[in-house]
């Protein structure tokens, strides 16, 4: 680097900006690669259905804290999070491959507990774990999950199909997972000061479960198909509703109008954040780890979407100059 060159910080671009910048150097070399970086999962052409591929990595003290995260819950969550990316393409998850790096502070019993959680999630959502590898680590626990799925060509939904005046829909509710994380971090600090203290989690079961044991929305994908609804654009909401909206609008070259009072927030989430003097909408938009689905549909599907449970219409797609 030349003496006068300014160092470019990752913070200046952010996660998605950096991914976009890095992806520019890679070319597609095979006709079977229909879509790569820039969607929830890559799309590969096959003889009958399109194949979907995605991967996730989970680092101790970055993505999880074993001070309060049970290993069985952690194993379950890693599979649930990975298969959510396949759902974000309107696909069906089918197989996972897991790689685990562990330090010598972990025993056979603890690794077995972790993989038992993975097994529970795989069984619940009928996912085949087809590969498992272990290696050593000098920095705690690391888990990498690769997931594959499939989707018929006519059912594939990307981020780039939203059109003006379409309805913006979301599944479930937002902000609960991050609220659960705030509670866990708060009680961890109390424990560090007083190891004899007992955590105060009475009445917070919902937000804690959303953080420790999220459920992928396979039910929503199935319900949409049952009502013969194919979204025009879709994305898995993993890093907050606001970033998902921005990514969908950017990919579709559109803007959007969102109504704050339409953003679904669970009553427990709202009340817990109120007690902490935190604005619930801020957490719903920016908290992350909700793993809900955000998608757009034409207004002609309004009567159909009303029949699907746990769906909220939060706004409209607008022309690009409207912003987001």
């Amino acid at each position: 680097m030349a003496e006068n060159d300014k160092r470019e910080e990752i913070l200046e671009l952010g996660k998605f900006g950096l991914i976009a910048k890095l992806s520019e150097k890679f070319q597609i070399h095979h006709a079977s690669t229909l879509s790569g970086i820039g969607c929830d999962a890559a799309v590969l052409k096959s003889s009958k259905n399109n194949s979907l591929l995605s991967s996730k990595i989970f680092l101790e003290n970055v993505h999880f804290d074993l001070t309060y995260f049970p290993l069985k819950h952690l194993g379950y969550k890693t599979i649930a999070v990975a298969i959510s990316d396949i759902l974000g393409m309107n696909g069906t998850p089918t197989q996972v491959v897991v790689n685990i790096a562990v330090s010598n502070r972990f025993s056979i019993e603890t690794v077995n507990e972790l993989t038992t959680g993975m097994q529970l999630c795989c069984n619940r959502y009928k996912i085949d774990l087809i590969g498992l590898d272990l290696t050593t680590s000098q920095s705690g626990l690391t888990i990498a999950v690769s997931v594959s799925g499939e989707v018929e060509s006519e059912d594939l939904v990307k981020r780039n199909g939203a059109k003006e005046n379409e309805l913006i829909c979301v599944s479930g509710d937002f902000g609960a997972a991050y609220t659960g994380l705030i509670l866990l971090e708060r009680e961890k600090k109390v424990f560090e000061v007083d190891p004899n203290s007992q955590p105060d989690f009475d009445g917070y079961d919902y937000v804690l479960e959303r953080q420790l044991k999220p459920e992928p929305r396979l039910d929503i994908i199935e319900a949409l198909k049952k009502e013969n609804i194919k979204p025009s654009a879709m994305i898995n909401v993993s890093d907050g509703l606001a970033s998902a909206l921005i990514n969908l609008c950017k990919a579709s070259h559109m803007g959007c109008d969102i109504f704050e009072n339409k953003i679904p927030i669970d009553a427990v989430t709202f009340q817990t954040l109120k007690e902490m003097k935190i604005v619930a909408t801020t957490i719903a938009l920016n908290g992350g780890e909700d793993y809900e689905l955000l998608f757009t549909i034409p207004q002609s599907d309004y009567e159909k979407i009303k029949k699907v449970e746990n769906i909220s219409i939060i706004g409209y797609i607008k022309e690009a100059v409207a912003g987001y």
Side-chain angles (χ1 to χ4, degrees), residues 1 14 18 44 61 65-66 115 136 229-231 237 271 273 294 314 317:
M1 186 166 62
L18 180 57
L44 305 181
N61 298 321
D65 188 331
L66 292 179
T115 54
T136 58
I229 299 172
K230 180 187 175 182
V237 184
Q271 185 58 38
L273 292 170
L294 165 70
I314 64 170
I317 293 293

Side-chain angles (χ1 to χ4, degrees), residues 4-265:
N4 295 327
D5 286 350
K6 181 177 179 291
R7 171 185 162 108
E8 191 174 8
E9 301 294 341
I10 293 177
L11 187 61
E12 295 175 15
L13 285 178
K15 171 183 173 179
F16 298 107
L18 180 57
I19 291 174
K21 181 181 177 72
L22 296 175
S23 66
E24 293 174 357
K25 68 176 72 173
F26 294 96
Q27 297 177 339
I28 299 299
H29 299 283
H30 300 279
S32 58
T33 304
L34 300 182
S35 179
I37 301 171
C39 287
D40 287 315
V43 185
L44 305 181
K45 184 179 180 180
S46 60
S47 57
K48 183 180 178 182
N49 296 335
N50 289 326
S51 298
L52 301 171
L53 300 173
S54 187
S55 61
K56 294 291 185 184
I57 189 164
F58 305 87
L59 305 175
E60 185 177 354
N61 298 321
V62 176
H63 300 102
F64 59 89
D65 188 331
L66 292 179
T67 303
Y68 50 71
F69 217 124
L71 283 167
K72 186 181 290 186
H73 285 67
L74 177 60
Y76 191 101
K77 182 174 181 176
T78 58
I79 303 298
V81 170
I83 66 178
S84 291
D85 277 347
I86 303 298
L87 303 179
M89 306 288 288
N90 201 35
T92 301
T94 52
Q95 293 95 12
V96 293
V97 174
V98 175
N99 292 277
I100 304 171
V102 290
S103 64
N104 59 9
R105 84 174 198 268
F106 292 89
S107 65
I108 292 176
E109 289 77 14
T110 56
V111 176
N112 184 60
E113 185 79 356
L114 175 71
T115 54
T116 296
M118 295 177 177
Q119 175 196 19
L120 291 171
C121 190
C122 287
N123 288 347
R124 178 164 186 172
Y125 294 101
K126 296 180 172 58
I127 308 297
D128 297 334
L129 196 155
I130 59 171
L132 176 63
D133 193 21
L134 295 169
T135 189
T136 58
S137 167
Q138 292 185 341
S139 56
L141 177 63
T142 298
I143 306 164
V145 181
S146 296
V147 57
S148 64
E150 58 185 30
V151 60
E152 293 186 12
S153 299
E154 59 269 26
D155 291 334
L156 176 65
V157 181
K158 300 181 184 179
R159 303 175 182 181
N160 60 358
K163 299 176 181 62
E164 188 174 354
N165 295 324
E166 287 189 331
L167 304 175
I168 299 173
C169 306
V170 293
S171 66
D173 57 79
F174 294 86
Y178 193 78
T179 303
L181 179 63
I182 294 173
L183 286 172
L184 291 165
E185 287 290 336
R186 182 188 71 180
E187 294 305 311
K188 176 186 174 181
K189 287 181 171 57
V190 173
F191 176 78
E192 288 173 345
V193 174
D194 180 11
N196 295 316
S197 64
Q198 293 297 315
D200 181 17
F201 291 143
D202 187 38
Y204 299 126
D205 291 359
Y206 179 71
V207 295
L208 292 174
E209 184 172 0
R210 291 278 285 176
Q211 169 58 217
L212 298 174
K213 188 175 169 288
E215 300 293 351
R217 299 313 305 258
L218 184 59
D219 59 322
I220 297 298
I221 299 297
E222 293 172 345
L224 292 176
K225 290 179 180 177
K226 181 179 179 182
E227 297 299 331
N228 197 28
I229 299 172
K230 180 187 175 182
S232 53
M234 181 182 280
I235 187 172
N236 171 38
V237 184
S238 57
D239 295 285
L241 180 57
S243 70
L245 282 164
I246 291 171
N247 286 329
L248 187 145
C249 287
K250 279 185 175 180
S252 298
H253 304 291
M254 301 299 293
C256 68
D257 278 348
I258 300 299
F259 304 106
E260 181 179 358
N261 65 333
K262 297 295 185 181
I263 298 173
I265 301 173

